[in-house]
Every structure is written in C-alpha cells, then in structure tokens.
Amino acid sequence: MHLLQVQQNCALNSSDVQSIPYQNEGMEGDRMEVGDLKQNPNDTNNIHVEVHVKSTSTAKRSDVKMHVLTLLNRHRMVFGAFRWTEFDEDFLIKHVQSVAIVDAERKPIDLKSCSLSIHIFTLNDDGPSTLNLEEEEELSAANHWLLPAAEFHGIWESLVYESGVKTQLLDYVSTTIYFSDKNVDSNLISWNRVVLLHGPPGTGKTSLCKALAQKLSIRLSNRYSYGQFVEINSHSLFSKWFSESGKLVTKMFQKIQQLIDDKQALVFVLIDEVESLTAARKASQAGTEPSDAIRVVNSVLTQLDQIKRHPNVVILTTSNVTEKIDLAFVDRADIKQYIGPPSVEGIFNIYLSCLEELMKCQIVYPRQPLLTMFELETMGFRESKVSELSLVLRDIAIKSKGFSGRALRKLPFLAHALFVKTPTVALERFLEAMDLAVDKQIEERDNLANCL
C-alpha cells in the first residue's frame, strides 16, 4: 500500500472508547463520557477493555459494545488481566476475535465497581510499505505501517520488564497530548515528544517501541482514526546517503510531514540505534569521516526539532551503546529509560508464557497448571505436584539470570530441538530439557568469552 493511501482504511481502524460505570442491571450506566486522556495511574477503578473485531465484520461499533457489555455483565468477577477468545453468543462468535481486560493488576477485580474504558479495534493486515525518496534509485529511507497492525499484535503482552516501565511510557504520551489539548505554552514548559530507550542488545527496545505505538493507537483511537508508524534505520542513512545526504534527509522528513499533516492520524517515528548519529558526528569532527556526515546529523536533529511542534507525533529512539550518545541528542529526550535484562521474576514470567503457549499447542501435553512467583511466595511453598514443578521452573529462571529477553524466548525452542526426542512431551520432562538447554547456553557463552 502506498504511504499516503490510508484514508480508505479509516473505517476499519476506528474505534469507540468510553468510560462507562459498570452496572449489573442494564447495558448502559446513567453516565457515559469520552474516556479520559490522562488517567490517574493510581486509579485502580478504571479498567481498560480491548475488543478485537474480526476484519470480516460489518457490525456497528455500538452493537459490538452492547454485546461486550452483556458478556462482562455475566462475568462480574475476574482475576487481573483476562482474555475471552471463545464465546457462547452468536453475535460475538461471528464478529469478535477476542475481548481482553488489559494492563490490570494481578488481583481479583469486581467489574461492577469499576469504570470500563472500552476500546474497539480491527487490525490492519497489510505488511510494511517502503518509504522511497528517489524513484529512479529507489532509495529506501524507512518502513511504514498503518496501525493497529496485525504484525504488532501481542508484542505488548509478550514483553516483560520491571514493574511500571510500560505504564510510565503510556503515561508520558498521554501527558504530551493532554498538555497540547490544554494549550500549555511550550516556551514556558518544555517537552520535545522524544523517548530514548537505552540498554544492551536483545532486551526488546525496538519491540517495545512498536508495541507502545500499537497500544496507543488503540488506547487513543477515540481521537485519532488510525496510527502511522515510520521506522528509520540510522545505519542505512549513513551507508547510502553520503553524496547528497542533506537533501535526502530533508526529503525523508517531508514524507513524514505529509503524514503528520493528517490530524486524524497519530504518527510515531522510530530511529533505531540512534547512537550511530552521534558516532558519525564525532568521527567527522575528528577528521576520520567526511564532513558530509556531520551535516546529516545536524539535519536530522533540526528536522526533529521542527516536527515536535505538532501535537500528533511521537519520536521514539533506541540505543545499544549509551556512552556514544552525546548531550546534543540526550537533551532532546524527555524520557531516558534504561531497558536491561529481565529480573528473575521477569524471566519466570517469560518462561511461564512460553510454556502456556506450548501447552495450548499440545506440544507440552497434557496441560498442567503452574503457579506464578507471587502465588509461590504467598502459598509458602506448600507441598504439591503443581508447586514442585513451579519451583523447578523458578530454579531454571534463577540459573538464566543475565540472559537477554531474545535469548529467553528462544530457549524453549532449543530445549525441544536439542533435548526432546518426541513431538509431544510431558511438562516434567520438558522442564528437564529446559534446564539442560540453559546449561548449554551458559557453556556456549563462556566459550565465546574465552575466544574473545
């Protein structure tokens, strides 16, 4: 799909977002208002419900909302985040893929006492298109997605970080839009709409940027019909554009500006591995790179300063090598969030989600329950088969400390490929295979370190 040919898809990606006081009797409360832009992060009475409508559905959003409320009315008590994917009501079976209570604390929730922010959305199945600058040479400046995208679906839930990281990023973007709505003078109170995620490779920084854009395109769809996601690769910027770098950088941001000019779109611009900008500038100043490199960097920074004036744009950046980022760029970042390797609890939760997926696919069979770390601690490690297997998983998580999120997600695959000799395996046997796979990864890591 062409970069700017998105208007025809607006109807598929629009959604209704309303805060509705839940009532056990009747579908609608006596108060109905547009969902707040800026929710109090300590307000546990506001629950977000995401309704994924099938792409084939022609149902009105109001009808979808009514049937979802009926579903929630029948399931008044839930525990933390909960997802329905199977329904016993014909309308929901025909039109709805899933209904999910999201970003909720792990505790019992009485829906009757909550305000529900209902977000109804349809995923865009188109893959990324390419943002080209020169038709003859077909120079690829960036990749572009229309949000919410099927390709990004589920990334947010799969990322496990220390408590509060994802919530803080959501609150940051909500505040930028809230301040713009209130016409806060940016000369008196400054914000640049720039997020910097930094940390070692493999911790999910790029994935988090994509997931954040996806989540916000759904969460803020009461005011933006759809989202746009533009991913710029800094390495290609310098490897291809030395000859006419300044002109091509300007062309790239002119393309982005066309997206921003559509006030119905919420635009996210990702600059991955932004440290390459700083590295090129330092090399140029030291005389080891052409002076054209410094013009590229200055042009990019100037363009970022210009587009930040628009209320419907967020600039996301990542860096693997923090020490290479100089103050010129760091000063532009409102949030500088470190993304490190997961904690033991985070590793446990990643492994737990992997095992649940394998049990759902009947690779690990039969399905057996496992306790969470919280449940293990609160139950006091009482003797049972469930707690015994959960403690085994906890020990594997402890041994895996220091692995990147990317390595952790790969480990169940390696366990099956290297140490499971049958297509289907019992949970106890698969945990043994995971333990062996962790040992092998540690051995390979040590061997590589010795070689270096």
Side-chain angles (χ1 to χ4, degrees), residues 79-308:
F79 185 83
F82 192 86
R83 181 182 300 272
W84 290 268
T85 56
E86 297 180 358
F87 309 102
D88 55 9
E89 200 262 324
D90 289 342
F91 181 92
L92 294 177
I93 293 173
K94 181 178 180 180
H95 296 286
V96 174
Q97 191 75 32
S98 66
V99 176
I101 294 172
V102 297
D103 305 325
E105 294 183 18
R106 188 180 289 274
K107 66 178 185 179
I109 299 172
D110 182 359
L111 295 177
K112 184 178 180 180
S113 63
C114 299
S115 292
L116 303 180
S117 293
I118 299 179
H119 313 268
I120 302 173
F121 68 96
T122 299
L123 294 176
N124 188 282
D125 293 324
D126 294 339
S129 59
T130 302
L131 196 162
N132 292 323
L133 298 184
E134 298 284 355
E135 292 185 3
E136 294 181 0
E137 300 181 21
E138 295 186 351
L139 286 175
S140 175
N143 289 324
H144 164 261
W145 288 263
L146 181 63
L147 302 177
E151 188 173 332
F152 296 170
H153 189 55
I155 298 178
W156 180 265
E157 290 76 17
S158 72
L159 296 171
V160 179
Y161 298 110
E162 297 300 322
S163 177
V165 169
K166 294 196 289 188
T167 300
Q168 289 171 10
L169 292 172
L170 284 174
D171 288 343
Y172 161 75
V173 179
S174 296
T175 297
T176 64
I177 296 172
Y178 182 69
F179 272 41
S180 296
D181 284 352
K182 291 297 185 179
N183 296 317
V184 175
D185 190 340
S186 59
N187 293 316
L188 298 177
I189 299 178
S190 176
W191 69 98
N192 294 315
R193 305 179 185 279
V194 178
V195 175
L196 171 62
L197 304 182
H198 62 94
T203 52
K205 298 181 295 296
T206 302
S207 295
L208 180 55
C209 289
K210 294 177 178 179
L212 179 64
Q214 177 90 338
K215 174 67 69 171
L216 287 164
S217 69
I218 295 171
R219 186 69 59 86
L220 297 174
S221 53
N222 60 317
R223 42 184 321 160
Y224 296 107
S225 297
Y226 53 90
Q228 307 273 7
F229 188 84
V230 179
E231 181 180 20
I232 302 169
N233 189 297
S234 300
H235 289 302
S236 66
L237 186 93
F238 291 109
S239 63
K240 296 180 181 179
W241 296 354
F242 269 146
S243 59
E244 296 181 305
S245 57
K247 181 178 73 173
L248 293 173
V249 167
T250 300
K251 283 187 177 182
M252 175 181 67
F253 279 95
Q254 284 175 347
K255 294 277 190 178
I256 295 173
Q257 183 64 54
Q258 292 177 29
L259 298 177
I260 298 172
D261 288 341
D262 182 358
K263 300 308 177 186
Q264 293 187 41
L266 180 59
V267 180
F268 298 89
V269 179
L270 169 62
I271 304 178
D272 216 6
E273 299 185 22
V274 73
E275 70 270 8
S276 60
L277 299 179
T278 302
R281 179 156 65 179
K282 285 183 177 179
S284 178
Q285 291 171 338
T288 58
E289 290 284 358
S291 60
D292 190 61
I294 197 169
R295 287 197 291 271
V296 174
V297 177
N298 291 337
S299 178
V300 169
L301 296 177
T302 299
Q303 294 294 333
L304 292 180
D305 288 341
Q306 291 179 359
I307 67 174
K308 75 179 184 183

Side-chain angles (χ1 to χ4, degrees), residues 403-430:
F403 286 12
S404 70
R406 183 181 300 152
L408 294 169
R409 292 280 177 195
K410 189 184 301 181
L411 193 127
F413 169 81
L414 295 175
H416 190 281
L418 300 177
F419 301 106
V420 175
K421 304 303 181 183
T422 57
T424 301
V425 60
L427 177 58
E428 185 172 3
R429 174 71 187 94
F430 191 76

